[in-house]
Amino acid sequence: MAAADGSEAAGVQRLKAPSLFLMLAEARSLFELNSSLLLSPLLLRAPKGDGHPVLALPGFLASDLSMAPMRRYLKALGYDAHAWNMGRNLGSVSSKRGALRDLVTRIHETTGRKVSVVGWSLGGVYARDLALQLPGMVRSVITLGSPFANDVRATNATRLYELLSGEGIDDIPEIRQAIAGDLPVPATSIYSRTDGIVNWKTSLLRPSATAENIEVHLASHTGLGVNPAALWAVADRLAQAEGEFVHFERSGPFAIAYAPPENALS
């Protein structure tokens, strides 16, 4: 995997942010939400959970409200779903590390079980960092449209992130490089080539025996967390027994929505 410290000398693949057309097409996220509501009977046929805690982390500029549909869905499947309770996510990976570490530690100590972390967009960057910091407390990591690999400046939110967070994308090269690498826990990256905010190539992890990429056709960035095919994939991944990992089988009621795994390489 290319290094992620922001320099071409380190082998970073220079990428462009998604086009204006894709960004304007993000309005279809409302359709994705409505589709999930209409297809809820099918979604509830997903594998049931074992009751372990799942922490849902919102994306940049979003709050716990954005993750409410996913938390309700996971609770209905039998998981102990948790919100981050930190207000609106205004960014700054480095300044949030301590608070997020304390949050996962509290959940782990309260439940006596490892915590799966699901992060949407920037929330997924936090999730991967948590796995690196607390591998003994984090059970698995699932990211949705998260920019953690290659040239992570290739988003339509980079300048706003730097303005609001006070943290430059290139200010934390050591943290960025670590987050872009392999994780010590099972990891799944769910992404879409039609993401209008984040260049999809920044969401690709290096596939391995415990790491995989799942592409959802035609999903938007702002709709990934409520897209029915993405929700099904999240539920399927969380249902794996602790300490076990089998790559995602593109089957079931939403099979047509997933690209073949080899597509991520092209």
Side-chain angles (χ1 to χ4, degrees):
M1 175 171 289
D5 63 3
S7 67
E8 290 195 47
V12 172
Q13 179 185 2
R14 308 309 298 181
L15 302 172
K16 294 181 179 180
S19 67
L20 177 61
F21 171 79
L22 284 177
M23 187 166 65
L24 293 176
E26 284 291 309
R28 70 189 185 279
S29 60
L30 182 60
F31 172 77
E32 293 172 274
L33 173 60
N34 290 334
S35 296
S36 291
L37 295 174
L38 290 172
L39 296 171
S40 57
L42 275 179
L43 284 168
L44 290 174
R45 294 182 186 177
K48 296 299 185 286
D50 62 0
H52 80 269
V54 180
L55 174 61
L57 301 178
F60 180 51
L61 297 182
S63 66
D64 283 323
L65 182 62
S66 68
M67 303 298 288
M70 180 177 292
R71 292 198 309 276
R72 286 196 296 268
Y73 176 53
L74 296 180
K75 286 180 180 178
L77 291 177
Y79 295 97
D80 178 20
H82 292 257
W84 87 329
N85 295 315
M86 294 172 62
R88 192 169 297 279
N89 184 358
L90 297 179
S92 186
V93 175
S94 56
S95 68
K96 295 255 187 328
R97 299 184 90 199
L100 285 169
R101 186 171 57 243
D102 292 344
L103 175 58
V104 170
T105 300
R106 286 198 303 272
I107 296 173
H108 174 68
E109 291 177 347
T110 300
T111 63
R113 305 186 69 175
K114 289 186 176 182
V115 184
S116 288
V117 188
V118 180
W120 191 351
S121 193
L122 180 60
V125 176
Y126 297 152
R128 290 180 63 86
D129 188 43
L130 283 167
L132 292 167
Q133 295 185 75
L134 303 170
M137 298 184 189
V138 173
R139 173 165 164 164
S140 65
V141 166
I142 301 173
T143 60
L144 297 148
S146 299
F148 57 82
N150 291 311
D151 181 10
V152 297
R153 299 190 65 89
T155 81
N156 283 313
T158 297
R159 292 183 180 178
L160 187 58
Y161 172 90
E162 293 182 328
L163 177 65
L164 295 181
S165 70
E167 176 182 86
I169 297 296
D170 298 322
D171 290 346
I172 50 171
E174 295 82 5
I175 297 176
R176 281 179 51 195
Q177 187 167 358
I179 291 172
D182 298 334
L183 297 185
V185 304
T188 297
S189 175
I190 300 173
Y191 71 97
S192 171
R193 294 191 186 217
T194 53
D195 189 315
I197 304 299
V198 170
N199 185 306
W200 64 274
K201 291 185 178 180
T202 69
S203 299
L204 297 180
L205 49 71
R206 188 180 72 87
S208 71
T210 57
E212 64 185 345
N213 298 295
I214 301 175
E215 179 186 347
V216 179
H217 288 309
L218 303 178
S220 67
H221 182 83
T222 53
L224 263 177
V226 294
N227 180 287
L231 287 174
W232 179 278
V234 169
D236 181 271
R237 301 293 76 201
L238 290 173
Q240 297 182 98
E242 183 174 338
E244 297 182 5
F245 187 86
V246 177
H247 284 83
F248 183 62
E249 292 188 9
R250 288 152 175 80
S251 59
F254 302 100
I256 195 173
Y258 308 114
E262 59 268 20
N263 274 20
L265 302 178
S266 60

